[in-house]
Amino acid sequence: MGRVIGIDLGTTNSCVAVFEDGRPIVVPNSGGYKTTPSMFGVADDGKRLVGHLAKRQAITNARHTVFATKRLIGRRFDDTEAQRTLEFSPFEIVRGPNDDPRVRIGEKAFTCPEIAGIILRRMKRVAEEYLGEPVEEAVITVPAYFTDTQRQCTRDAGKIAGLEVLRIINEPTAAALAYGMTRHGDEKIAVYDLGGGTFDISILEMSSGVLEVLATAGNTFLGGEDLDRRIVTHLVQGFEKTAKIDLKGDAMALQRLKDAAEKAKCDLSVREVAEVNLPFITSSGGEPQHLNTEISRETLEDLVQDIVEETLKSVDECLADAGLSASEVNQVVIVGGQTRMPMVQEAVTRHFGRRPHKGVNPDEVVALGAVLHAHMLVEEEKELLLLDVTPLSLGISTFGGHFARLIERNTTVPVTKAHIFTTTRDDQSAVKIRVLQGESDLAEENDLLGEFILAGIPLAPKGEPEIEVSFDIDSSGMVSVSARDLATGSEQSIAVNSTSTLTSEELEQLVADHEAGEVRLKG
Amino acid sequence: MQEQESGTAVGRRVLRLAPGFDPGGIKPSSVEFFLLSRIDGRTPWRVLREMGGMSVEESDLCLESWLAAGFVEVCHSDCGDQGLRRSLSCEGSTKVSDSLRVDPSLDLDLQTQRRVTELLGLLEGPDALLLGVSDEANEKDLKRAYFKLSREFHPDRYFRRNLGPYRNQIEIIFKGIQKAYENLSRPPLASSVVRDAVLRKKENGILSSDSGHSQDESTPGDFQGLRSEREQRARELMRAAAQAISQNHFSEARRCLEIVADFEPETPFLRQTLAHVRSRSVDPVEAVVKEEVGQSLFSSPSRKSETRHRYVRTG
């Protein structure tokens, strides 16, 4: 059996770690970088590019270079988040047959799990080149606030990459694990994770070899990409004012602006003023036009103030769920590249009344935690036990379109919960169980994970039959739901693992395709 | 003596109030009062004895004496355990001891195998016993016990090992430990929480069905999360009621009992005692209210809630 790896599949960058000489280490890619851009592209000659090579062609071949698909994975085409991505995207996003967003490059429409799979396969390769042996198993991280569908799609992506996914774990939990390995004694830890596309906050308690997640909250559509977008909008508006030219419809210009915005944002973490210099950004009346301007740290902070405030709201929610006040937290760990921004660090410091822990690298700590978890699962050493929670409430839709929660958010898994329901009409012989995930009291506002029908209920006046609905989340996070008529004992159940945006046939086909591709590459 | 026989046979006995039982006839202490209130013809002895504020031995004595005095009697139908077992919803846990044999071929040391069997036996007992803590354990003790048992029984510790039938049982134990911890570590409740619980119960009834009838099906008793909140609140109110009765403050007792009746399933004891205190409470201030209560006595739960709100306002 090969070695296990941990992969932090990020919105902007991905990172892979292995366990070696008794500790987890991050593996650099062939270019010597410890993180690899989560980008995929097809060159003009049809060659597929991943990582830095894809990023390099992003400007010259913007329509055929895909990035940040983590923001689309597991969503439906009509979701507002998907639509928002669509609006700004230089590449083409189309509606797939399962109402899922797909990326069209030339003739082929790629599903989001497939693109994630291509990136994961690259990360697997990075680890294999380093270890000099094949890798088959991995723990992959996702934002804590990912829904079941998003997790399932990530699992599918792992399969497409030729990996057996041991676990999907939450990014902040992984970060806390990596942090916790270096500590002894009892502590309450907050992990503030502001990445490229998502924001998570988790509160954990560590004591006598157990790391318990007390609560988690977040926003799967808030991150560094949004900051970049604000800067791009700012630059486009500025250019429109000075040069009277609208750059919005120009895919190549937008991609260059995005690139420059990201660079300026990073510069502004260490400097007060950043220069944005984009010669030949466009042409007008045969004359080349250049964009040359400056952004100050203050301007940037004004632009993104509300985004940072938004994260603090989630922090408060999470603290309330954990039943703690900010001052009871002993340590704040900050994770994700976006936490390098001084403004973010100041906001966190102010909010918790303490400076965040500096001992971890915010880009690498999640991958380190992932491989630690993988290692602890497969090896006999069980130094730290992780008690994780389910981030979103689970329940069913009941009469009048209400959402009846059976498992509340932040419940430790594995868990089983049951509740008895009844019929709403006389002589009703069947009930439909719609399994939902989310926090709204209205059923339709939550994410539908699956549905099934329990039939053969003996005729009885309404309210008489007793139908026990039971929810189970196993330790790998898989949800299954059963409904049983207590009078007859007849039972129906589903395993909610088919909620990926891919059908199982599509998945099989993709796994086969990519395996074939792999063989070709090796031969 | 029956107690000396196999504990389970005694433990499985289900008690109900004797027909014609008159609660005015006995003057129980508050803890006895609570114990009496839990006798509903469904809850078995071994659960009853763990419920009140008394030690197990005291509870046994108390139940024995009531049995001897003819206040309560043993139900002979075997229906009693079902409701409870169902609500525990640990699939198959009742048949475990038959199927679990110590098996040296498994990838699980024999000591752990015996521990699994031991813990399975504790699953349906009191939470504190399962966690191995005293009844007075504070939050810190509880957490320590919970973490210690989690390290022992979390399924992740046995990832990919060949555990045979033990795999399922270990997961069941972990879930049981977690639930016990949840039940015990719940912070003391402000009455507003109970009020919320009552409101949620109403709402929940509507959720399941539009008929008032169905509210019986979805009492918070089925709602596991509310169970312990409810029981604790009921205990406090029963205690207050017993004290009030002993001081002949019947309207005060009635007030407490009516709140209990509003969110607890109505046991015969509760119904009879309530009728008793209602007949005795004659303070002029509350006379008007009493009439309203009288009209809606034992009517649908929604009527009851109306009465209660009116009552609270008056009071």
Side-chain angles (χ1 to χ4, degrees), chain B residues 63-77:
Chain B
L63 291 172
E64 286 291 342
S65 71
W66 289 337
L67 201 55
F71 294 144
V72 297
E73 58 184 33
V74 178
C75 286
H76 290 287
S77 63

Side-chain angles (χ1 to χ4, degrees), chain A residues 371-414:
Chain A
V371 78
L372 260 174
H373 192 64
H375 180 76
M376 286 190 298
L377 280 177
V378 297
E379 299 299 324
E380 284 300 296
E381 307 157 44
K382 313 276 183 188
E383 293 151 70
L384 204 53
L385 173 74
L386 177 65
L387 294 178
D388 213 345
V389 299
T390 177
L392 294 159
S393 300
L394 284 164
I396 62 168
S397 165
T398 53
F399 187 76
H402 294 273
F403 176 52
R405 287 177 179 77
L406 273 93
I407 297 181
E408 297 270 347
R409 68 162 184 269
N410 291 326
T411 302
T412 304
V413 290

